């Protein structure tokens, strides 16, 4: 994972990159989610650990076969009900 922060007044720009260490055609969004979960705030349904801030994704560039679906990043399941 690599992040670059660029300041600008009351806001900043975050540039990030996550790359598989092996050949991965269909990563199912793993690299995208690795990055997103580090900056995702409560407005997007995430639970920040220390600081909660808003964000807007302006651009996502991915390799062939890689996913970038935010709904796949934070998936929860209910525990099985005992009979």
């Amino acid at each position: 994972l690599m992040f670059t922060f660029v300041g600008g007044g009351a806001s900043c720009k975050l540039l990030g990159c996550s790359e598989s260490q092996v050949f991965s055609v269909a990563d199912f969004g793993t690299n995208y989610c690795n990055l997103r979960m580090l900056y995702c705030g409560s407005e997007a349904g995430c639970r920040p650990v220390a600081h909660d801030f808003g964000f807007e994704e302006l651009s996502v560039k991915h390799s062939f076969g890689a996913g970038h679906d935010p709904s796949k990043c934070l998936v929860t399941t209910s525990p099985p009900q005992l009979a």
Side-chain angles (χ1 to χ4, degrees):
L1 296 170
M2 183 173 68
F3 284 107
T4 303
F5 296 91
V6 180
S11 64
C12 70
K13 182 185 276 189
L14 169 68
L15 307 170
C17 179
S18 178
E19 185 177 324
S20 296
Q21 298 301 303
V22 297
F23 181 71
S24 176
V25 174
D27 79 342
F28 302 104
T30 299
N31 287 309
Y32 170 74
C33 290
N34 284 345
L35 291 171
R36 182 181 172 86
M37 295 310 295
L38 293 173
Y39 62 79
C40 185
S42 61
E43 282 183 7
C46 297
R47 296 167 88 183
V49 174
H51 303 285
D52 190 8
F53 50 85
F55 68 93
E56 177 184 7
E57 286 184 354
L58 300 176
S59 172
V60 176
K61 297 177 184 173
H62 58 85
S63 59
F64 176 77
H68 65 276
D69 180 356
S71 70
K72 304 268 193 218
C73 296
L74 185 61
V75 178
T76 60
T77 59
S78 299
Q81 300 295 319
L82 300 174

